[in-house]
Amino acid sequence: MSTLENVKVFEFPKVSDPRGNLTFIEEAVNVPFEIKRVFYIYDIPGGVTRGGHGHKINKSVLVAITGSMDLHLSDGYKEIVITLNRANKGVLIPEGVWVSMQNFSSGTILLAMNSEYYDEEEYIRDFAEFKRFVKTYNPEP
Ligand code: TYD
C-alpha cells in the first residue's frame, strides 16, 4: 500500500511558441499507468471542498488545466499540501492516499486521469475507515 512517499509531482512537457503553449501527456510515458478513465471538475463554486476520499485500487494523476487549488494529502499518518497552479504540473495520487481539494480559484478546471473505471466500491469516503484500512497495510511508522 502506498504512502505519501509515493506521491509524485510531475512537470509535463510544454512546447511554447509565439502562438501559445502546448502540453502533451502520454500514457505510460508521462503518466505511470494505463489510463482507463478521465474526468474533469469545473464550474466550482467558491469556498467548497471536494474529494474527501481515498482509493483501495485507483491511482490518479491530477492537473489544474486552468486555475489553481490546494490538495491536502494524507496517508493516515501525515498530511502534506500540494498546490496545483500550472497547466503542465501534475500530481500522482496513488491508492491508499486520502485527498481533499480546497481553495479553488475562480474558473478552475481540474483534470483527473485514472488507472481504473469508476467503481464506488473501491472508494473510502470515511476518514476513520480509511485510517483503519491503511493501518492493515502500513503499521504505525
Ligand atoms: P465525487 O467523488 O464526490 O467527486 P470529487 O472527488 O470531485 O469530490 O463524485 C461526485 C459524483 O460523481 C458521485 O456521485 C460519483 C460520481 N462519479 C461518477 O459517476 N463517475 C466518476 O468517474 C466520478 C469521478 C464520479
Side-chain angles (χ1 to χ4, degrees):
M1 185 58 56
S2 301
T3 67
L4 288 176
E5 279 159 33
N6 304 106
V7 171
K8 285 198 177 63
V9 177
F10 301 104
E11 186 127 329
F12 296 121
K14 180 164 96 173
V15 184
S16 299
D17 69 29
R19 300 166 301 159
N21 298 327
L22 182 153
T23 285
F24 56 92
I25 301 171
E26 294 179 319
E27 175 186 294
V29 178
N30 312 111
V31 168
F33 50 76
E34 183 189 336
I35 301 166
K36 290 201 179 128
R37 177 171 54 103
V38 171
F39 68 89
Y40 41 99
I41 301 171
Y42 53 103
D43 291 345
I44 305 161
V48 300
T49 296
R50 296 204 59 125
H53 47 62
H55 289 280
K56 296 177 187 168
I57 303 169
N58 186 63
K59 301 178 205 300
S60 302
V61 170
L62 304 184
V63 183
I65 296 294
T66 63
S68 63
M69 89 287 311
D70 296 328
L71 305 176
H72 293 251
L73 305 175
S74 171
D75 57 10
Y77 297 106
K78 281 185 296 179
E79 182 175 308
I80 57 171
V81 181
I82 294 176
T83 299
L84 282 182
N85 51 8
R86 278 183 284 121
N88 68 329
K89 179 177 179 179
V91 177
L92 169 69
I93 302 176
E95 73 286 358
V97 171
W98 183 270
V99 58
S100 165
M101 305 149 184
Q102 299 171 28
N103 198 22
F104 288 94
S105 70
S106 168
T108 291
I109 300 176
L110 174 63
L111 176 76
M113 293 161 277
N114 299 277
S115 67
E116 307 301 322
Y117 296 112
Y118 175 69
D119 175 11
E120 187 59 35
E121 293 297 302
E122 67 86 37
Y123 275 75
I124 307 174
R125 292 184 185 270
D126 176 79
F127 192 65
E129 186 190 336
F130 170 77
K131 287 221 279 200
R132 285 195 295 278
F133 176 77
V134 292
K135 216 170 180 167
T136 59
Y137 294 93
N138 300 327
E140 202 98 30

